[in-house]
Amino acid sequence: MGQGIAQVALVAGHPVRLYDSAPGRAEEAVTALAARLDRLVEKGRMDRAERDGAVARLHAAAELTELADAALVVEAIVEHLPVKQQLFGELEKIVGDDTLLATNTSSLSVTAIAGGLRLPGRFVGLHFFNPAPLLPLVEVVSGFATDESAATRAYETAKSWGKTPVRCADTPGFIVNRIARPFYAEALRVYEEGAADPATIDAVLRECGGFRMGPFELTDLIGQDVNEAVTRSVWESFYQDPKFTPSLAQRRLVESARLGRKSGQGWYPYGEGAAAPRPHTAPPAEPPASVTVQGDFEHMRDLVARIQEAAIPVDFGNEGVPGYPGWIELPSGTRLFLADGTSADEAAMPVIHFDLALNFYTCERIALAPSATVDDSALQEAIGLIQAAGKAVSVIRDIPGMIVARTVAMLADFAFDAAARSVAEGDDIDTAMRLGVNYPRGPLAWGEELGAGWVLEMLSNLHEEYPTGRYAPSQALLRRAAAERVAAEAAAAAQEAKA
């Protein structure tokens, strides 16, 4: 990580000095960086003169004192608070009072690292994402004592390096590692409850939810030990808040040294001859002769359009009645509802829940969860219906909120809560989640598109199903939903008065 940050500064035109407490490591890093630049030349991304100029600006420092005239010092050492505090205590005795000091920590408190400094106001977090030369996002973290001028200098510096900086307060996990926890946690809970296997969960989140990678393959890439450590750190920093509770299944994976790609085995096997994981996909089935659509189907309008394009006759019942949930009814009377946080088994009639999609028109896969009262012929009709709409189908065990729906609802609520607590501005939150972890849509924008009322209903139902506090809606969500309801009522009253 330190090499990556050094490369970013070097290519931006700065003289760079590398220091490592281990003898010879700084020299090795200089050699490695020169090799990286050589590869850029070979790929045509840098010309030879630029490469030679950059290498001429790069030096290994034998002693910490050689950093005395640095304008900015960025630390990227072990994630251990006392070690970081000791390093910056030593640096403060060496550098000038106008030197900007920055930590690249991803999980420790910026405020705590700077706590013992004589001038904590010039201390900031500069959290790059790995690999630093490729990923554009940098979280600029202001500790409790950070001066606004120092945060602005850090922000402008990162921007001048070609990065996309976002400002945030010093809160556990900052923006990305705080708000992203449900993406991993909900998938792990679905797995732990036996609703679906990792390959199927990953496929549904990719091909239905629009995420670039599923959480199981992503944590294998990150390293199970690294991801679990961040989750545990955030959980402990929030005084073991149930919303951030780590997964026992992931803990067992780490204990068994199945750390992912780097160990050759994680949730999936790696290495030569390893078979690619295959999600559960239902075999072809015959669609029904026709379907009926009832109620307000706004959130599934694009799915209904695809059904119509498949030349399956659609009869529309009482469309658009406010507060009347929409469903697709099969000839057998079995109803397909969008996942709402309840269990399909609680319904008085045969019900099949289908999962939320980023875009029902373009998504490639949809998950179905039938209640115990759905017979096989009705399930096969439902599978055939979704297949006729051009989607692969994964049938999972009935579980409240399914996979995508509960994940997106939690992400949106975490984002609403972070914005309300001034962790970061709304635009910075969405930018951070899109660029830092490649989400297909910022969670604030996603939640606003679905509606705060939809998110609230999902989480309220989940909270009733799992009364642990994990799914308790935030005050920010409650306020947004109330404002949304008042605005809708005012709009309806205005429309009625106009009529």
Side-chain angles (χ1 to χ4, degrees):
M1 195 66 187
Q3 285 184 29
I5 297 170
Q7 180 180 332
V8 171
L10 195 63
V11 171
H14 292 274
V16 174
R17 295 189 190 130
L18 300 178
Y19 173 77
D20 196 296
S21 59
R25 289 290 297 278
E27 289 79 3
E28 291 173 6
V30 167
T31 301
L33 269 172
R36 287 189 188 190
L37 298 182
D38 287 337
R39 288 194 291 274
L40 292 179
V41 172
E42 292 170 3
K43 295 177 181 179
R45 298 177 185 172
M46 174 182 278
D47 63 40
R48 176 60 60 179
E50 289 176 324
R51 179 267 180 204
D52 293 344
V55 171
R57 296 192 301 271
L58 180 62
H59 302 282
E63 301 292 340
L64 201 61
T65 53
E66 293 182 44
L67 308 184
D69 61 345
L72 167 64
V73 179
V74 182
E75 162 270 317
I77 64 173
V78 63
E79 288 285 270
H80 191 46
L81 181 60
V83 177
K84 291 183 186 287
Q85 289 173 324
Q86 180 181 353
L87 171 63
F88 282 109
E90 294 173 2
L91 274 169
E92 196 171 40
K93 299 172 185 176
I94 295 168
V95 301
D97 288 354
D98 61 345
T99 299
L100 192 63
L101 298 180
T103 175
N104 183 55
T105 186
S106 61
S107 59
L108 298 178
S109 165
V110 170
T111 302
I113 296 172
L117 296 181
R118 177 173 55 86
L119 298 173
R122 46 92 170 262
F123 190 87
V124 299
L126 273 179
H127 180 215
F128 288 76
F129 287 73
N130 200 21
L134 298 180
L135 295 186
L137 184 69
V138 177
E139 292 178 320
V140 180
V141 187
S142 291
F144 189 77
T146 300
D147 293 335
E148 177 63 25
S149 60
T152 299
R153 283 176 63 198
Y155 180 95
E156 294 299 335
T157 298
K159 189 175 181 180
S160 72
W161 289 354
K163 295 302 179 182
T164 303
V166 294
R167 295 175 183 262
C168 64
D170 183 22
T171 183
F174 311 139
I175 300 174
V176 173
N177 280 329
R178 172 182 176 141
I179 295 175
R181 293 347 298 161
F183 180 68
Y184 311 108
E186 293 311 306
L188 286 161
R189 286 180 74 88
V190 171
Y191 166 75
E192 288 173 335
E193 292 188 45
D197 60 280
T200 299
I201 296 169
D202 277 353
V204 170
L205 281 161
R206 281 195 320 268
E207 300 170 28
C208 185
F211 293 91
R212 184 169 297 184
M213 296 181 73
F216 293 97
E217 58 186 336
L218 182 55
T219 51
D220 268 359
L221 178 64
I222 295 168
Q224 296 300 332
D225 52 340
V226 174
N227 182 262
E228 201 261 353
V230 172
T231 299
R232 188 167 295 276
S233 173
V234 172
W235 175 62
E236 290 172 349
S237 296
F238 276 112
Y239 304 102
Q240 301 185 354
D241 186 326
K243 290 180 180 293
F244 298 94
T245 302
S247 161
L248 180 59
Q250 189 176 38
R251 174 98 291 260
R252 292 291 179 258
L253 205 66
V254 173
E255 289 173 341
S256 65
R258 296 188 171 197
L259 307 181
R261 289 181 178 272
K262 63 186 177 184
S263 69
Q265 176 72 52
W267 292 109
Y268 306 121
Y270 300 93
E272 189 175 351
R278 292 183 176 275
H280 169 78
T281 302
E286 287 294 320
S290 65
V291 296
T292 301
V293 174
Q294 299 274 11
D296 181 2
F297 63 98
E298 181 61 34
H299 288 134
M300 57 182 181
R301 188 172 297 276
D302 286 340
L303 178 59
V304 173
R306 289 300 297 263
I307 291 171
Q308 290 178 301
E309 289 175 6
I312 296 175
V314 177
D315 176 48
F316 292 93
N318 53 345
E319 176 187 351
V321 178
Y324 197 61
W327 72 82
I328 300 170
E329 189 164 327
L330 302 174
S332 64
T334 297
R335 297 177 179 181
L336 277 68
F337 285 92
L338 178 63
D340 63 358
T342 64
S343 169
D345 282 337
E346 295 174 7
M349 75 286 291
V351 163
I352 299 173
H353 278 152
F354 59 93
D355 211 348
L356 179 70
L358 173 67
N359 184 317
F360 275 118
Y361 197 84
T362 60
C363 72
E364 300 173 355
R365 179 181 298 269
I366 292 178
L368 301 178
S371 67
T373 55
V374 173
D375 61 34
D376 187 63
S377 61
L379 177 58
Q380 291 304 309
E381 276 193 328
I383 292 170
L385 177 68
I386 303 301
Q387 289 172 340
K391 322 295 181 185
V393 176
S394 291
V395 178
I396 69 170
R397 188 174 67 79
D398 176 36
I399 186 171
M402 299 190 70
I403 300 172
V404 180
R406 69 195 291 178
T407 299
V408 171
M410 285 290 280
L411 288 171
D413 191 34
F414 271 42
F416 290 150
D417 182 62
R421 293 176 185 272
S422 298
V423 171
E425 296 292 333
D427 287 347
D428 278 354
I429 288 173
D430 276 356
T431 296
M433 302 311 293
R434 286 188 296 100
L435 299 184
V437 278
N438 290 312
Y439 282 6
R441 186 172 297 164
L444 280 172
W446 209 341
E448 288 167 355
E449 179 181 292
L450 290 166
W454 183 90
V455 178
L456 177 59
E457 181 184 13
M458 172 66 67
L459 293 183
S460 297
N461 289 336
L462 283 167
H463 182 51
E464 187 172 340
E465 296 280 352
Y466 304 97
T468 62
R470 180 185 184 92
Y471 299 104
S474 70
Q475 286 297 310
L477 175 59
L478 291 168
R479 289 193 293 270
R480 280 179 180 256
E484 182 179 270
R485 185 171 59 252
V486 169
E489 290 171 354
Q495 187 67 29
E496 184 177 342
K498 186 182 295 186

